[in-house]
Amino acid sequence: ESVALGVITAPGSAMVGAQVDVVVAAWFPREVRLQLRTPPTLTRPAFQGAWVYPQPGPAGIAASRQVNGRWYDLFVTHDAVFPLTPGRLQIGRARVSYGLPVTYSFLTRELRHEVQSEPRWVTVASKPAAGRPATASGMAAAGLRLAVEAAPRAMALGDASAVSVTLSGRGNVALWPEPEITWPAEARVYPGEIEQTIRLENGQIEGSKQFRYLLVPDSAGIHAIHGVRV
């Protein structure tokens, strides 16, 4: 019925850990779409060797366009994908399924149809080795910021201070590692919860990852938290 399904990747090549946007686009001729009793079902492609953030999209028609005097209605899905290994990122087949009535009767049965896309690949380059510190953890990020907070800063011996270390920026927040921290020698440290927030801003995945600790000094005096790095 001239329903067209395509997969768009942007960019077509990327570095390990960089974001690749994958959009599935299903174009329905207007006269076919008007016969649908229920919206079509789009099935996202499968990804091998990648971390995927499915993005919310329009529940119905995303756009309409006239081509050569014929109207088409567009249905889409969007995934933000982060390749994990160099080489070729394989993007599997996307699918759109829909039902068309056999006759014009309201009680007629529907004939199911399915259209599949062709598999695609994205070229994934290794992270550059030049200038990489020996302690590099392998994380990829942009606009990265690191903040350290402790409260209270003054307390009685035996009390605890809540310490938080927060990473924020753009990238695959879920895989960001715990920063290296040089804790005071005369103190006990108890790791707490890890909290992360993720959002889509101007087409880019960004957010923050917060690591929490309880610091309990074993002696009176000034105890310095230093060497916090990633």
Side-chain angles (χ1 to χ4, degrees), residues 157-209:
L157 184 62
D159 290 344
S161 178
V163 180
S164 65
V165 179
T166 305
L167 286 171
S168 57
R170 300 189 304 276
N172 190 358
V173 179
L175 293 188
W176 287 352
E178 182 177 7
E180 299 178 31
I181 306 173
T182 302
W183 295 105
E186 297 182 353
R188 288 165 289 157
V189 179
Y190 302 93
E193 296 181 351
I194 300 175
E195 296 182 0
Q196 66 181 32
T197 60
I198 298 173
R199 60 187 178 275
L200 189 69
E201 188 70 26
N202 296 324
Q204 296 291 314
I205 294 292
E206 65 176 40
S208 63
K209 194 168 188 179

Side-chain angles (χ1 to χ4, degrees), residues 7 17 20 30 46-47 69 71 107 116 124 184:
V7 176
V20 177
R30 177 69 55 82
F47 301 91
W71 278 100
L107 299 178
Q116 296 186 11
V124 181

Side-chain angles (χ1 to χ4, degrees), residues 10-21 81-83 85-87 89 122-127:
S13 60
M15 186 182 69
V16 172
Q19 179 175 327
V20 177
D21 291 290
V81 182
F82 292 85
T85 56
L89 169 64
V122 172
T123 302
V124 181
S126 300
K127 296 186 180 73

Side-chain angles (χ1 to χ4, degrees), residues 118-137:
E118 293 298 324
R120 294 179 64 92
W121 288 267
V122 172
T123 302
V124 181
S126 300
K127 296 186 180 73
R132 181 189 303 178
T135 57
S137 63

